[in-house]
Amino acid sequence: MNEAIGETNRRRAKQVAYNKENNITPQSIIKGVDMELAHIVEADYVTIPLDTVGLDAAVSNVKSEAQLAELLQQLESQMREAAKKFEFEKAAQLRDRIRSLKQQDLAGLFGKSEESPVSDTVK
C-alpha cells in the first residue's frame, strides 16, 4: 500500500513540476451530460399509482375525530403492508398522505361547536 501511495506522490510531483515549467494551469473538464444514459436510468423508475380518488372520498366522509383516527390507522396498516411486500414507493406515498392528514387544520372539518375537554379544564 505504501508503495502505491509513494508512486502516486512521485507522479503528482512530476506533473506539478511539468505544469510549473510550462505555465500550465490545470482545469476541470466541462462536458455535457449524455442524455441517452439519463433516459436509461429514468426507465428504471416506475411510479406506482395511489388510489387518490378512494382516499379523497374516504377523507371527505370523515365526520368526527374518531373516524379520522380510524382512517389514519387503516392508512398506517396499509403503509406497513406495502413495506412488507417491498412496495416502498406505495408505502412512501401513503406515509406522505398520512403526514398531510395529520398536519391539516382539521378543527374546521368537525365544526366549532365541539369543544375539547382540555379547554374546559383550563377555564
Side-chain angles (χ1 to χ4, degrees):
M1 189 70 174
N2 287 332
E3 287 179 32
I5 293 171
E7 180 64 17
T8 301
N9 289 335
R10 183 191 70 78
R11 289 181 182 186
R12 183 176 294 126
K14 188 175 181 178
Q15 184 69 51
V16 167
Y18 177 84
N19 289 350
K20 194 174 201 179
E21 191 176 296
N22 294 300
N23 293 326
I24 297 174
T25 304
Q27 294 180 347
S28 295
I29 297 174
I30 299 173
K31 261 184 159 178
V33 176
D34 184 15
M35 293 312 291
E36 290 298 318
L37 181 61
H39 291 299
I40 292 170
V41 171
E42 256 180 34
D44 287 343
Y45 294 94
V46 179
T47 301
I48 297 177
L50 191 60
D51 182 20
T52 56
V53 175
L55 282 174
D56 289 338
V59 169
S60 66
N61 289 335
V62 171
K63 303 294 182 203
S64 68
E65 290 183 34
Q67 288 177 340
L68 177 65
E70 184 179 326
L71 174 65
L72 288 173
Q73 197 171 28
Q74 289 173 355
L75 290 175
E76 285 177 2
S77 66
Q78 289 175 10
M79 177 185 68
R80 286 187 176 85
E81 278 300 312
K84 282 182 188 176
K85 294 177 184 175
F86 299 107
E87 297 173 349
F88 299 116
E89 292 88 0
K90 184 177 179 181
Q93 289 175 342
L94 285 167
R95 178 204 60 211
D96 295 342
R97 185 61 180 228
I98 291 167
R99 191 174 292 156
S100 70
L101 284 174
K102 286 181 177 179
Q103 289 178 351
Q104 284 178 354
D105 180 21
L106 297 174
L109 181 65
F110 304 120
K112 302 284 185 194
S113 61
E114 294 180 22
E115 288 189 25
S116 67
V118 176
S119 64
D120 291 340
T121 57
V122 174
K123 291 179 184 178

